[in-house]
């Protein structure tokens, strides 16, 4: 993951080289230049793919070697093709952005990987995330909104308070507490179950 994060950061800088140079911003990309930076990014990723392919060949009993080799070979081929396209475009800003998008969000290769994963493991793409561990995830134009509303409503429903009106102080205002040992204590299992849901 560190290798991929570094590569994404460097690939992002390739499309910004013209603007950074224009305003005198000194980055690794402006020092190396677009061509060298592209070769660094492509080289690191290609090395990563080749190591993954080698591991799949050397230890086929540890990994699903056919999936590992095929998926990384596809990614390596596509990376070489994209690097060549960027070189043919003379490392211009728009093709550099396309190169960055390929590295960060390659939908064609993702679809190919989904087909392979479905064939081998019967995995299905469930689409965009909507609910996860009691969290509701909503995608808006301004960003992603995460809410616990469904979980909170479920707790209120379990308690029987779903239709209740909100109050500032949810207990009797003039309640006198004392040490009456004859009163039966409340059942703790309900309270423990509710606290466990929080």
């Amino acid at each position: 993951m560190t290798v991929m994060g570094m590569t994404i950061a460097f690939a992002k800088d390739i499309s910004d080289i013209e603007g950074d140079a224009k305003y005198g911003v000194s980055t690794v990309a402006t020092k190396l230049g677009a061509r060298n930076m592209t070769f660094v990014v492509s080289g690191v990723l290609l090395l990563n793919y080749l190591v993954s392919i080698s591991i799949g060949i050397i230890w086929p009993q540890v990994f699903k070697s056919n999936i590992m080799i095929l998926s990384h070979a596809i990614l390596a081929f596509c990376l070489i093709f994209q690097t060549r396209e960027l070189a043919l475009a003379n490392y211009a800003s728009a093709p550099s952005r396309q190169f960055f998008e390929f590295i960060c969000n390659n939908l064609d290769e993702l679809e190919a990987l989904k087909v392979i994963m479905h064939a081998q493991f019967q995995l299905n793409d469930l689409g965009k995330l909507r609910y996860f561990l009691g969290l509701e995830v909503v995608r808006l134009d301004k960003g992603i909104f995460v809410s616990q509303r469904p979980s909170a409503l479920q707790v209120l429903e379990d308690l029987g308070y779903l239709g209740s009106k909100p109050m500032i102080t949810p207990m009797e205002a003039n309640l006198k507490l004392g040490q009456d040992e004859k009163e039966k204590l409340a059942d703790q299992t309900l309270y423990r179950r509710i606290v466990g849901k929080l």
Side-chain angles (χ1 to χ4, degrees):
M1 292 311 277
T2 305
V3 171
M4 195 62 188
M6 179 190 73
T7 328
I8 289 170
F10 283 165
K12 172 72 174 88
D13 281 349
I14 294 170
S15 61
D16 294 337
I17 287 177
E18 291 176 12
D20 289 346
K22 181 180 176 182
Y23 293 105
V25 178
S26 178
T27 64
V28 174
T30 55
K31 290 178 182 175
L32 288 178
R35 181 177 183 273
N36 292 336
M37 199 66 191
T38 302
F39 285 128
V40 167
V41 168
S42 298
V44 168
L45 267 181
L46 193 58
L47 181 65
N48 191 27
Y49 295 150
L50 292 175
V51 167
S52 298
I53 290 169
S54 302
I55 289 172
I57 292 170
I58 294 169
W59 292 299
Q61 68 278 10
V62 177
F63 300 99
K64 290 277 191 180
S65 62
N66 53 351
I67 295 173
M68 191 164 184
I69 293 168
L70 181 62
S71 61
H72 285 90
I74 290 170
L75 288 170
F77 175 76
C78 293
L79 177 65
I80 292 168
F81 177 76
Q82 287 293 326
T83 304
R84 180 179 166 274
E85 290 294 310
L86 184 56
L88 290 174
N90 203 20
Y91 306 98
S93 183
S96 296
R97 265 188 235 102
Q98 291 173 346
F99 182 73
F100 170 69
E101 288 172 5
F102 163 76
I103 289 176
C104 297
N105 194 15
N106 196 335
L107 298 179
D108 293 337
E109 280 70 27
L110 183 61
E111 290 302 320
L113 183 63
K114 286 179 190 177
V115 169
I116 293 169
M117 296 300 280
H118 179 71
Q120 288 292 322
F121 303 111
Q122 287 75 39
L123 292 178
N124 293 320
D125 181 15
L126 299 177
K128 292 184 179 179
L129 180 66
R130 294 190 61 212
Y131 295 99
F132 181 72
L133 296 177
L135 298 174
E136 180 181 25
V137 180
V138 179
R139 296 174 189 275
L140 304 171
D141 292 338
K142 294 182 180 179
I144 297 174
F145 178 72
V146 180
S147 168
Q148 286 186 304
R149 186 175 189 274
S151 298
L153 290 175
Q154 186 62 46
V155 170
L156 290 173
E157 184 179 336
D158 290 349
L159 290 172
Y161 291 120
L162 191 57
S164 300
K165 296 178 183 177
M167 295 181 62
I168 296 172
T169 309
M171 62 182 288
E172 292 181 40
N174 298 320
L175 179 66
K176 303 273 185 192
L177 299 175
Q179 291 184 338
D180 189 2
E181 296 177 6
K182 295 178 183 177
E183 281 190 38
K184 186 178 179 184
L185 296 175
D187 184 19
Q188 296 178 4
T189 56
L190 174 66
Y191 296 106
R192 288 182 180 172
R193 188 166 49 94
I194 293 167
V195 169
K197 288 184 177 188
L198 300 177

